[in-house]
Every structure is written in structure tokens, then in C-alpha cells.
Amino acid sequence: MEPEKLERLLEILSTIKVNQFIYPGMLIRNLNLSMNDIYKILENIRRLGSISVYYEVYCNSCHEFTGIGYETINKIPEYSECEHCGKELNLLKDIVVIYKVTQDE
């Protein structure tokens, strides 16, 4: 990773507190990196124990998140409807992997 992008990543991550979520899309936009690269970076951070994988339901019709992170896919309700547009959500297609900060560095 280019030094200026690494510096920007560290700057962004320093603003995210314990129990807050990290959305890969936000990092993609801010760092101009590919989704694959961002997920590799986040998985490396996860292995260090500072963040955990969570899942969030995302409506592909109106492009809104539910705002609720789930620790496992099994904890996501079987039926879910978008509170913004009313569309029935497909829990296999409308899930996004996000990360939750579990400890300060």
C-alpha cells in the first residue's frame, strides 16, 4: 500500500471507537482501493484481535443499511423488510460484511 494511503487509513481508523462499526465501502471511497484490497486489510486487522466480523442487512433496492449489526448470520431474522422502501429483503443477497471495533489499539 502506498505510504499516503496507509497514513490516511490509520487516520480514519483512529477516529473509530470501541463498539463502532467499520464499513468497508467507506474505506473504499476514502482510500480509492478495491473491495478485495480493503477486505484483505480488514481481515489482517481482525487477526490481530482489534475488530470482529459482523453482518448487516442492506437493501439493494434503495441502498440503505438497517443500522443493526449481527454477530452471526443465524442471528439475523428470517424475514426482514426494508424500513425505508418496504421491500422484502433476501437474507442471502442483502447481507454485507462489516467489522466492529472490539478494542483500542
Side-chain angles (χ1 to χ4, degrees):
M1 181 186 302
E2 300 162 23
E4 59 275 358
K5 287 188 180 187
L6 178 58
E7 186 176 320
R8 179 71 178 133
L9 172 64
L10 294 173
E11 179 183 309
I12 292 168
L13 293 177
S14 73
T15 67
I16 303 171
K17 307 296 180 214
V18 173
N19 293 323
Q20 289 184 321
F21 291 106
I22 300 170
Y23 288 88
M26 178 269 299
L27 295 176
I28 291 167
R29 286 188 303 278
N30 279 284
L31 299 172
N32 195 29
L33 292 172
S34 71
M35 183 182 329
N36 192 40
D37 287 342
I38 291 297
Y39 276 105
K40 283 180 184 177
I41 291 166
L42 290 169
E43 278 302 305
N44 285 331
I45 296 170
R46 184 191 62 77
R47 285 187 203 104
L48 296 172
S50 298
I51 62 177
S52 296
V53 171
Y54 271 68
Y55 304 91
E56 187 169 1
V57 179
Y58 173 79
C59 180
N60 283 300
S61 290
C62 71
H63 309 290
E64 293 287 339
F65 283 97
T66 61
I68 303 168
Y70 298 93
E71 289 180 72
T72 66
I73 290 177
N74 292 341
K75 291 189 177 185
I76 299 171
E78 286 184 34
Y79 176 82
S80 189
E81 189 175 280
C82 178
E83 63 184 50
H84 302 282
C85 72
K87 176 188 173 269
E88 182 178 348
L89 299 171
N90 179 330
L91 297 184
L92 295 177
K93 294 181 181 178
D94 296 320
I95 299 281
V96 175
V97 174
I98 60 174
Y99 295 82
K100 185 175 184 179
V101 177
T102 55
Q103 65 183 25
D104 286 327
E105 295 185 62

